[in-house]
Amino acid sequence: MKNREQGKSEQPDKEKLRLFFALWPDSPISGALHGLARHYQTQCGGRVMRAESLHLTLLFLGDISAGRLLQLKSAVAAVHGSAFSLTLEQFAGWRHNAIGYAAPTSTADALSALVLRLRSCVAEAGFHFDQRSFTPHVTLLRKMAHTPQAQPIAPMLWPVYEFVLVQSVTEMEQVHYRILGRWPLA
């Protein structure tokens, strides 16, 4: 008969972390995006995202065993890329999920290459992830009452020097994000 401690150590790790890779803006960019969200809230309704939670998702992993976090970080250490600038130049919305967002009008080659390298390294390490095509955007509003047509905004130049690994945590019915790792771009 096994003792209790042996039984615990032989059980699979059941703690799950909800994870994604993202670009995280600095304060001036997140402040400008938050201001844009407040502006469009008057036209579209909805809930404005908190300035400290604004980001551009690169790769959504979903629930990952906490015991595999170090393996994930090691795999991503092989991802190298160049720093680049991202220009957000339009506001648009998706009717199916009532989200309003800021986005570039075209995807920078460096951004596409970064996403492809992330997908490759994560897949080689045996992790599963959302396979949908990459559509760069920063969610500004949720639960919009009215979905506008895509429209130009004053271009926001976002210098990108790193990407991050983020944990999504729900506390008291509110989602918070914790950055678990940072990787610089040369």
Side-chain angles (χ1 to χ4, degrees), residues 16-20 50 60 63 166-178:
K16 298 287 185 184
L17 304 175
R18 191 163 186 79
L19 303 175
F20 62 93
R50 295 183 317 275
F60 182 75
D63 293 334
V166 183
Q167 178 185 6
S168 176
V169 180
T170 303
E171 296 171 334
M172 296 171 35
E173 297 183 26
Q174 193 170 32
V175 176
H176 299 277
Y177 299 125
R178 292 185 185 137

Side-chain angles (χ1 to χ4, degrees), residues 50-129:
R50 295 183 317 275
E52 66 274 10
S53 71
L54 296 173
H55 64 277
L56 188 149
T57 300
L58 299 171
L59 183 65
F60 182 75
L61 296 164
D63 293 334
I64 302 294
S65 169
R68 295 190 70 198
L69 182 59
L70 288 177
Q71 179 189 6
L72 177 63
K73 287 181 173 183
S74 293
V76 174
V79 174
H80 299 286
S82 299
F84 61 94
S85 291
L86 179 64
T87 304
L88 302 174
E89 47 201 341
Q90 71 176 345
F91 178 82
W94 285 313
R95 182 167 289 136
H96 72 279
N97 57 8
I99 286 176
Y101 60 88
T105 54
S106 63
T107 305
D109 290 342
L111 177 57
S112 295
L114 175 60
V115 171
L116 286 174
R117 284 192 291 277
L118 264 174
R119 285 178 176 233
S120 177
C121 286
V122 167
E124 283 178 25
F127 290 92
H128 300 281
F129 52 87

Side-chain angles (χ1 to χ4, degrees), residues 134-166:
F134 176 64
T135 304
H137 68 282
V138 178
T139 300
L140 302 177
L141 296 169
R142 292 198 181 274
K143 299 183 180 181
M144 289 189 311
H146 167 70
T147 306
Q149 295 292 325
Q151 51 197 271
I153 59 173
M156 286 186 206
L157 187 63
W158 176 356
V160 177
Y161 302 108
E162 68 178 1
F163 66 95
V164 296
L165 175 62
V166 183

